[in-house]
Structure formats: C-alpha cells, structure tokens
Amino acid sequence: MQITSESSIEVSTFEWPAGFYTDAGHAGLKKGADDLGWLVSKVPADAAGVYTTNQFQAAPTALTKQTINLAHKLQAIVMNSGNANSCTGVQGTHDAAAMQKAAADKLKIDSNLVGVASTGVIGEQLPLDKIKKGIDGLGLTKSDDVTKAVLTTDTHAKTITVTCLIDNKKVTLTGFCKGSGMIHPNMATMLGFVTTDAAIEGNQLQGLLSETVNQTFNQITVDGDTSTNDMVVVMANGQAGNDSLTPSHEDYPTFVKAFKLVLSHLAKEIAGDGEGASKLVEVNVAGAYNALEGQQVAKTIVGSNLVKAMIFGGDANWGRVMQAIGQTTAHVDLNGVSVSINGIQMVKNSLAADYSENEVAKTLTEKMVTIDVDLNAGTDTGTAWGCDLTYKYVQINASYRS
C-alpha cells in the first residue's frame, strides 16, 4: 500500500544518506582541532545553493556559486575553517580554484563537480600547501567529523537527520552547519550543508531551497552583521530510488515538510549558539498585513539590541518590543497591538495589560524566550530567531584573531 502521510517524517539518529561519504583532518589552519574536510557523493548529485549578499563575496563562495550554476550538479564539497579566503584578491581566487582542483584530482572527478567552502579570519591568504597536504590525507568514511571541522567560535556541532517515506522508500535528509557570530542573514557567517538520497532535479531543488531559506536561515540574527562567506548548499544524489520529486508528485509535500524541518532546526541551532549567548529567542508575529511584513517585524524585534539586552538582563520591559515594532514600515493597528512574553500577556490594545512583573522576570531566566506579537493589521504571520546580547559577545569579538 502506498504511504503518503506526512506522519512518516521522523527526526532520527544522525546518519548520512545512502551514497554519501565524508572525512576530516587537521591541516594546521588553526590550533589543535580538525580544520579541513569534505563531503562526497558516490555519484554526481543534483545541487542547489544560496549565497551571501555581502558585496565582498569571498573567493570560495563565488567559485561554488559559479560551479553550481553550470548545471546544478556537484559530487563533492571541500571545506575548511581557520581562514575565510576573503578579501584576498586575485591570489584568493587562484587559491580557491587550486583547492577545488586538489579535491577533484584526489577523487578523480571533474573540477566542475566540486564546491569549495571556507570560514575563519578575513584578509589572510590561504596556506595552500597545508590545504593540499590535508586534502591528500582525506579518505571516504561515514564519520561525522566533518561537522566539527567547519566550526569557528561555535560551541558545538549543529546537525540533524530526518527520514521520510517517498514512493514507499526511505529517504534520508542530513544537514549540518556552522555559525555563531556575524549573523544577520542574507545569510550569516554561516555555512550550511544538506545532503539527501532523494531524487529531485537541480532546478526544482534550487527553487525549494531559495523559498525555504527565506523562511528559516534568513530569519535569524545574532548581531546585525552579514559575512562575506555565507552559503547553504544542498546535494541530492537519488540513491533512495524514488521517482523524481516535482510539485505534482504525490509525496512532494512530505519531502518539502521534511526539508523545511531540517533547515529550521539548523537555523535555530545557529541562533541559540550565538556568540556569548545564554538564551534562544523566538519571535512569532500574527495579524500581519502580509507574510513579508510579518517576517520583517519578527526579525526587527529579535535583532533589536535593546530587546536582546532586556532579555539578557531579565528586565520585563515590553516597551523595548513596542519600539522595535514601531521602527519598521509594516502596517500596524496603533491601538490594537498585543505582546506576550513566554505566554504572559503584557500588552493589550497597545496598552499595559494586567500582569505580574516578577512572574515575567522569572520566565526570562529560562534558556528559551518566546515573544508573541499581534499587529492586528491582517491575517499573515512571521517568525524569527535570535539570542540575547551578553558581555561574552564583546569579549569574543574583541579578541577574535587571538
């Protein structure tokens, strides 16, 4: 019997989808930790990517975009931390291409099937000899070490595996990412990688990725800064054996839901691991004039330094939320706004509600803070994620290179 229910979607123990292999190692780009790795598909995979909007787009980011745009195909991605290869001029462009070629030669595949991703300090030339030696030492394993090799100021690896049924076949989606500071997508100082053994054509995958990123990674903020190296890349190698997914496929909604679950989980992981952060903040906006305005208001609130400082200090100052709403260009019923923090209504009809200040302050000590806003201007919604602003954030970024 054909199973098409979206209830087949499950968050599972970490595993790589069929036909994907990885490895990682220490190339000497940073002290005492893996800093180089790759992600390899058994066969060329359909691929899609989204990239930073920063004008100083780093050489590896530009190269990967160019490579994917050729035919929406990739078979491998080689990645490093410790050096962003950004603002490195002609030499940086050469080094990114050399890194791509070194991985392709090692794997005996075409260079146009290899993406490159780098993260770390901006403005320093890539130590190409170390990179090439490190790539030469990589193998094909099923370990999760590569998920740690891309970390910079992150406190932990960020991963998720989701499975679902497509054409009665098990399809696996596994994603990992890095990101902790310089996060104000489009997109963040983040690298995101999603692998799946589903069959889905590259152009279809690109459309799905672009749409889902707008609802997930582009709705997180830590500090209002956009990096030069951001990208999210998806590879789908078809090894699950399902019929190619299109909007007319009976199980396409199931795959879309599973895909969004992967990206939203990773987005929240980045927000919650913001540099120095002690709390994950989620803002849910209802009553928006349209979806775009709902997202705009949610992200403005979660990105407000006043709101972030308020949450860090446990100060139940709902005026900070109101000022954030008011500084947007969104439609707002000025006499009908409601605000709740952790389920406690603090504002009703744009005026103070009857609540216990001590009760709200107590909930602000929790690791998760949820702010719900109703603009009373329409029927659409928006959600964004961020974190509090702590003393530790300044400490980390005042000494980033040391």
Side-chain angles (χ1 to χ4, degrees), residues 184 219-224 271 279-285 295-309 311 321 324 369 371 383-389:
H184 187 74
Q219 285 299 105
I220 59 175
T221 183
V222 169
D223 50 20
K279 300 164 189 173
L280 170 65
V281 183
E282 178 175 284
V283 176
N284 300 302
V285 173
Q295 289 181 304
Q296 175 196 8
V297 173
K299 195 169 179 181
T300 300
I301 295 170
V302 85
S304 164
N305 282 337
L306 291 175
V307 172
K308 290 153 68 69
I311 291 170
V321 179
V369 174
I371 300 175
T383 298
W385 301 275
C387 61
D388 55 347
L389 180 61

Side-chain angles (χ1 to χ4, degrees), residues 124-169:
E124 295 182 359
Q125 298 293 338
L126 201 66
L128 198 54
D129 288 345
K130 291 181 179 180
I131 291 285
K132 288 180 175 179
K133 185 177 179 180
I135 289 173
D136 193 54
L138 295 177
L140 299 176
T141 75
K142 287 286 190 177
S143 80
D144 65 352
D145 290 345
V146 70
T147 68
K148 306 176 187 70
V150 293
L151 305 183
T152 50
T153 57
D154 308 64
T155 63
H156 63 273
K158 303 167 176 68
T159 67
I160 185 174
T161 294
V162 173
T163 62
C164 60
L165 290 178
I166 306 293
D167 293 329
N168 253 354
K169 301 177 186 297

Side-chain angles (χ1 to χ4, degrees), residues 78-145:
V78 61
M79 57 198 77
N80 73 273
S81 58
N83 186 304
N85 191 11
S86 174
C87 297
T88 45
V90 174
Q91 185 62 45
T93 300
H94 171 270
D95 289 345
M99 188 172 170
Q100 180 188 52
K101 185 177 186 303
D105 289 348
K106 172 73 174 180
L107 293 167
K108 296 180 171 58
I109 61 176
D110 193 291
S111 290
N112 286 333
L113 290 173
V114 179
V116 181
S118 300
T119 185
V121 176
I122 292 172
E124 295 182 359
Q125 298 293 338
L126 201 66
L128 198 54
D129 288 345
K130 291 181 179 180
I131 291 285
K132 288 180 175 179
K133 185 177 179 180
I135 289 173
D136 193 54
L138 295 177
L140 299 176
T141 75
K142 287 286 190 177
S143 80
D144 65 352
D145 290 345

Side-chain angles (χ1 to χ4, degrees), residues 20-21 37-45 47 64 67-68 73-79 100 103-104 107 109-117 140 193 233 235:
F20 280 98
Y21 303 90
W38 64 14
L39 181 61
V40 181
S41 174
K42 180 180 179 181
V43 298
T64 300
T67 301
I68 289 178
K73 293 284 186 180
L74 282 184
Q75 193 166 351
I77 306 172
V78 61
M79 57 198 77
Q100 180 188 52
L107 293 167
I109 61 176
D110 193 291
S111 290
N112 286 333
L113 290 173
V114 179
V116 181
L140 299 176
F193 308 96
V233 173
M235 297 170 65

Side-chain angles (χ1 to χ4, degrees), residues 124-356:
E124 295 182 359
Q125 298 293 338
L126 201 66
L128 198 54
D129 288 345
K130 291 181 179 180
I131 291 285
K132 288 180 175 179
K133 185 177 179 180
I135 289 173
D136 193 54
L138 295 177
L140 299 176
T141 75
K142 287 286 190 177
S143 80
D144 65 352
D145 290 345
V146 70
T147 68
K148 306 176 187 70
V150 293
L151 305 183
T152 50
T153 57
D154 308 64
T155 63
H156 63 273
K158 303 167 176 68
T159 67
I160 185 174
T161 294
V162 173
T163 62
C164 60
L165 290 178
I166 306 293
D167 293 329
N168 253 354
K169 301 177 186 297
K170 177 188 173 184
V171 164
T172 302
L173 302 91
T174 292
F176 69 99
C177 65
K178 64 83 50 182
S180 190
M182 205 185 292
I183 292 177
H184 187 74
N186 303 321
M187 284 166 300
T189 183
M190 56 157 289
L191 299 175
F193 308 96
V194 179
T195 59
T196 180
D197 47 21
I200 178 170
E201 193 266 337
N203 286 326
Q204 182 66 46
L205 188 62
Q206 183 66 58
L208 176 60
L209 174 62
S210 297
E211 177 183 355
T212 309
V213 161
N214 280 336
Q215 301 167 354
T216 55
F217 287 118
N218 283 353
Q219 285 299 105
I220 59 175
T221 183
V222 169
D223 50 20
D225 291 312
T226 302
S227 174
T228 59
N229 290 60
D230 313 331
M231 73 170 88
V232 178
V233 173
V234 183
M235 297 170 65
N237 67 9
Q239 296 293 286
N242 62 286
D243 293 336
S244 187
L245 286 158
T246 67
S248 62
H249 191 296
E250 189 174 15
D251 292 330
Y252 185 70
T254 299
F255 182 77
V256 170
K257 187 174 181 180
F259 188 75
K260 185 173 182 179
L261 176 58
V262 170
L263 267 64
S264 61
H265 173 86
L266 295 177
K268 286 187 279 188
E269 279 279 281
I270 290 175
D273 193 33
E275 288 174 341
S278 65
K279 300 164 189 173
L280 170 65
V281 183
E282 178 175 284
V283 176
N284 300 302
V285 173
Y289 181 75
N290 55 40
L292 184 62
E293 290 191 3
Q295 289 181 304
Q296 175 196 8
V297 173
K299 195 169 179 181
T300 300
I301 295 170
V302 85
S304 164
N305 282 337
L306 291 175
V307 172
K308 290 153 68 69
M310 172 197 88
I311 291 170
F312 171 61
D315 178 18
N317 185 352
W318 55 263
R320 303 302 197 192
V321 179
M322 295 295 282
Q323 66 83 25
I325 296 170
Q327 69 184 345
T328 72
T329 58
H331 293 77
V332 177
D333 180 351
L334 298 179
N335 297 310
V337 171
S338 298
V339 176
S340 297
I341 296 181
N342 287 337
I344 302 172
Q345 186 169 22
M346 303 180 68
V347 179
K348 182 177 181 180
N349 294 328
S350 300
L351 299 172
D354 185 16
Y355 65 92
S356 165

